[in-house]
Amino acid sequence: MSKSLKRVTQALTAAGLDITPVALAEGTRTAQAAADAQGCTVDQIAKSIIFQGRDTGNLVLFITAGGQTVDPATAAALTGEPLTRADPAVVRKVTGFAIGGVSPVGHLTPPRAFMDPHLMTFDVVYAAAGTPHHIFAVAPADLLRISGAQLAPFTVKNDLSN
C-alpha cells in the first residue's frame, strides 16, 4: 500500500468511518473516467482541485462535483486573494499527494478547504484516495466534516455535467 493511500485510510479510520478505498482498473485521473469505472454520475465524483494564493503562496483545496469547474473569480473572492495554478512540487510537499491523486483528506498539512454545495445533493460521493487508481465512497456530510471544508458556491457547470 502506498504511503498516500495509507494516510487516507488512516484519516478515514481516525474520523470514525468504516470506509475502505477501492482500486479502479481504469484509474481516476479524470472525473469522467472515475465515474465510468465506478458506475456513477460524473457529479458524484468529488474532485480535489488545489490552487495557490498568488500573494501568500498558501494552498487552497476546492472539493467540487466532477461535472463542475472552479470559477477563478468566485474562488479568489472566497479566499481573499488572487489564485494561481498550484506548483505540483509544492502540492506534493505540503499535501503529500501528487496532482491526479489528491485526496480531500489525509494531507500532511491540511490546506484551507471549500466544498461545492452541489455534492450535498447525493447520498454518496466518490473521492480520490491518494493515488490515481483509488477512490472511496463517502456520504457528503461526512466528507464535509472530515475534510474541514466550508460549504461555499464557487463553481460553474462544464460540458461533462449530468
Side-chain angles (χ1 to χ4, degrees):
M1 178 183 298
S2 75
K3 290 178 187 176
S4 296
L5 179 58
K6 186 174 183 177
R7 262 196 339 276
V8 171
T9 302
Q10 289 171 337
L12 294 169
T13 301
L17 299 174
D18 185 19
I19 296 173
T20 302
V22 297
L24 297 178
E26 290 85 14
T28 61
R29 288 205 178 267
T30 69
Q32 189 62 61
D36 292 346
Q38 181 55 40
C40 65
T41 68
V42 70
D43 276 352
Q44 283 181 272
I45 300 300
K47 298 187 299 189
S48 294
I49 308 296
I50 301 274
F51 283 91
Q52 196 164 2
R54 188 182 69 198
D55 301 331
T56 64
N58 293 335
L59 297 183
V60 183
L61 170 64
F62 292 90
I63 306 166
T64 184
Q68 307 291 317
T69 301
V70 176
D71 177 62
T74 305
L78 279 173
T79 64
E81 73 175 309
L83 299 172
T84 62
R85 174 175 279 178
D87 179 304
V90 173
V91 172
R92 184 181 284 277
K93 180 180 177 186
V94 174
T95 70
F97 300 118
I99 299 292
V102 175
S103 177
V105 299
H107 296 252
L108 293 175
T109 304
R112 185 173 178 200
F114 296 93
M115 187 165 138
D116 180 356
H118 183 57
L119 289 168
M120 301 302 285
T121 64
F122 299 101
D123 292 333
V124 65
V125 295
Y126 302 88
T131 81
H133 301 286
H134 291 85
I135 63 171
F136 64 92
V138 63
D142 286 332
L143 181 58
L144 180 65
R145 175 179 62 84
I146 65 176
S147 67
Q150 172 186 336
L151 274 181
F154 56 82
T155 63
V156 293
K157 197 172 194 171
N158 70 27
D159 293 339
L160 298 177
S161 234
N162 291 344

